[in-house]
Amino acid sequence: MLFAVKMDVALPQDLDADVRADTLAREKAYSQQLQRDGEWVSIWRIVGQYSNLSIFDVRDNERLHEILWNLPLFPYMNIEVSPLAQHPSDISAV
Amino acid sequence: MLFAVKMDVALPQDLDADVRADTLAREKAYSQQLQRDGEWVSIWRIVGQYSNLSIFDVRDNERLHEILWNLPLFPYMNIEVSPLAQHPSDISAV
Amino acid sequence: MLFAVKMDVALPQDLDADVRADTLAREKAYSQQLQRDGEWVSIWRIVGQYSNLSIFDVRDNERLHEILWNLPLFPYMNIEVSPLAQHPSDISAV
Amino acid sequence: MLFAVKMDVALPQDLDADVRADTLAREKAYSQQLQRDGEWVSIWRIVGQYSNLSIFDVRDNERLHEILWNLPLFPYMNIEVSPLAQHPSDISAV
Amino acid sequence: MLFAVKMDVALPQDLDADVRADTLAREKAYSQQLQRDGEWVSIWRIVGQYSNLSIFDVRDNERLHEILWNLPLFPYMNIEVSPLAQHPSDISAV
Amino acid sequence: MLFAVKMDVALPQDLDADVRADTLAREKAYSQQLQRDGEWVSIWRIVGQYSNLSIFDVRDNERLHEILWNLPLFPYMNIEVSPLAQHPSDISAV
Amino acid sequence: MLFAVKMDVALPQDLDADVRADTLAREKAYSQQLQRDGEWVSIWRIVGQYSNLSIFDVRDNERLHEILWNLPLFPYMNIEVSPLAQHPSDISAV
Amino acid sequence: MLFAVKMDVALPQDLDADVRADTLAREKAYSQQLQRDGEWVSIWRIVGQYSNLSIFDVRDNERLHEILWNLPLFPYMNIEVSPLAQHPSDISAV
Amino acid sequence: MLFAVKMDVALPQDLDADVRADTLAREKAYSQQLQRDGEWVSIWRIVGQYSNLSIFDVRDNERLHEILWNLPLFPYMNIEVSPLAQHPSDISAV
Amino acid sequence: MLFAVKMDVALPQDLDADVRADTLAREKAYSQQLQRDGEWVSIWRIVGQYSNLSIFDVRDNERLHEILWNLPLFPYMNIEVSPLAQHPSDISAV
């Protein structure tokens, strides 16, 4: 089941440098593990923004929420979720 | 070069039924040709909306505008374009 | 899988009276069948609005889109979809 | 009398960890007591948000305000209230 | 139980003159009857707008919706409802 | 001359407890004196919000601004002012 | 008593040419009479908009509403009203 | 050349009292000098807001920016600029 | 004196084909004459929009309004005007 | 390939004076180098705002993101990117 998710990051200016570096490293590892597992299908940077647009392929709403809630950057993010369905013009649909 | 494009369709209530059917058929053929050509990479329906979220992979801005301007549904659409770049956490990046 | 859906209706002032009555009757029958089937769990009127707030319990995103797209009032509606997950304070959760 | 209430939580980044844990524990107990009492009918997490959508069944406006104003998380919440009425298509209506 | 209600009116430019005059006359009679009955407590024109701000004192949400839904101008109105409670600084409170 | 005024309060989380208590006490006394004087005609709590909706009956714009500017909570408020006029359907108008 | 008023005009594309010309002529005469009377103190065009920013000096809210409601272009306007007071830095204040 | 400028002030709650008093004194002197020079034509307080609406008559865009950029309160202001032109109904136009 | 101007075009669906073609031809000739005269310095299409972003270099506000008001497409446009000044980092500044 | 970019700057009130001066100096040098290189084609101050409107001419989306991400002021900026294409009325087009 597919979802488009837009994540905007706003790190506090006064965040401790070590906390910041550690959080970013954990975020990257977390994202890459989910990409390898096939749940985080795509991730793109939005040009000029500290934001990404991502596509998730998950079992259900519960799993998507679990993934997003546990993002190391979650406390610093604004997140928009759009559930997706197959488009009738999509040539890859069987 | 990648772009995310969100298209919201608002067909006039009083659109002639034949014009409507013809426009939708041309839209579908147009989209599917561009999908086969590899420029219209993905197209998803946004659940509950007469809208799609699409990913385009085009040569440059000029080509993206040419594609969008010539959509048969263009006069009935509201379109948002987001230029994309590679995300540093993307595992598919070389 | 649960979704909250808000539907705002805007019928054109010049809609033919018979078309209007027929559409509303089909909408009601369609909604009540889905309520009986257990997919349309709750429907409330929002006070002072030609709008409803509904809860759906469906198999997946595809099914929710199919239900909403086929609403007789769909061409006259603005729809917002919010995917829901279990809340950790919910006493009905096992 | 039914109301839909959407609560968005924004805890300050620098909130003392003990205050935070205590506030969240009190919030959970407060919510669960009201659920048991039948006034807080439903509570769902909105996917990807630190937010909930809830349904309240209360005696009147005064009681709803009393409940919301005394939420331990009230100072950190943005709250939207929508009064609800019975929908004419609701099959559960007598 | 008190509610503040803001009603913005947008009559279609091409509304038949007789329909218009009749609708406005019925709206006025309807409003004045509810004022005499004590449910429509106050009504003010907002300066420079085809809008009013009103205070209603009704039994419950159902009754408020019934009143608003049956306004002769309802199809031409945008309506916002705010449930009210007693303010702790109100000197008229017992 | 009547005005509707909506006041949203946002007290800083780190406001000193004594300053807070003192400010709230002065706000209440200030509001109640103006109510007794007949200039602050009505004040209601908006359900679920740290907000009030008030009706003022003042000599002119200068007086309304003087009243609002001197609210002890003014530095913590967002204020919207709507000038009111008599509505042609108001039965209390002579 | 001073008010700033912003008026945005949106004439329907299909307005009869004679009605249009007549309405605009009456609007101009109406505005100029009120300027001569000293109630419509200033009127400026906002560059690139079919809009004006005006300053009114009127007896009270009732009079301002009477003036605006009777504008020949009122049915085609969106109007915003801002009550003004003397600024403490204004050198023209006595 | 005329411009309407709206300035909204938001002083930080924790601004040092002396800095605050000094900034406000310099702002007032700066504004009054420009009023005497004929460039800051009008300044009004917007009722209930820490805001002003002002009219400037300046040589060109560069000069307006220079004036606004050097306002002592500039770092604490949100500013909107509307270029103005003569209105065809203005009786003071030659 | 420089201004950035964004113009969004919304042609009515039912505009007569000849009126449409004639209006577009006149718009193009009008724009190109002003480009040759040096007042309309730049014009770009915004990708995916029936919109342009333009830079104007004009004598004053009056002249900019005269140019925009007389655009053949003016009745079908939404226009935003931003006055520009020299940026301190601009290397082309003397 | 052209892009319009609007950058709004919001420096924290409590930013260390040396950090501030250093950041601004590096921002200026960075911008001017890119202007000399021909990638940052134009930069204008928006009157009354701590904002600029810029035109970039870059190889692709990746390069634009690289430039913007490395702006010394990036952590303090809100940035909007609009991809541009040639306008059919542009006389400079071959």
Side-chain angles (χ1 to χ4, degrees), chain F residues 35-92:
Chain F
Q35 289 177 60
R36 275 183 228 104
D37 296 347
E39 289 187 307
W40 197 324
V41 179
S42 304
I43 179 169
W44 300 284
R45 180 66 81 202
I46 299 174
V47 170
Q49 315 291 329
Y50 196 167
S51 303
N52 73 70
L53 174 68
S54 290
I55 306 293
F56 286 88
D57 185 356
V58 292
R59 175 184 78 232
D60 56 15
N61 288 350
E62 296 293 339
R63 178 58 184 149
L64 181 62
H65 185 66
E66 185 183 42
I67 289 173
L68 298 176
W69 186 264
N70 290 301
L71 287 163
L73 285 173
F74 183 82
Y76 312 114
M77 279 178 165
N78 185 48
I79 294 180
E80 287 173 50
V81 174
S82 300
L84 302 177
Q86 191 172 80
H87 194 283
S89 299
D90 184 353
I91 59 168
S92 69

Side-chain angles (χ1 to χ4, degrees), chain G residues 30-59:
Chain G
Y30 180 87
S31 168
Q32 294 193 329
Q33 185 57 48
L34 288 160
Q35 290 177 60
R36 275 184 226 105
D37 295 346
E39 290 187 308
W40 196 324
V41 179
S42 303
I43 179 168
W44 301 284
R45 179 67 81 204
I46 298 175
V47 170
Q49 314 292 329
Y50 195 168
S51 303
N52 73 69
L53 174 68
S54 290
I55 305 295
F56 286 87
D57 185 357
V58 291
R59 174 184 77 232

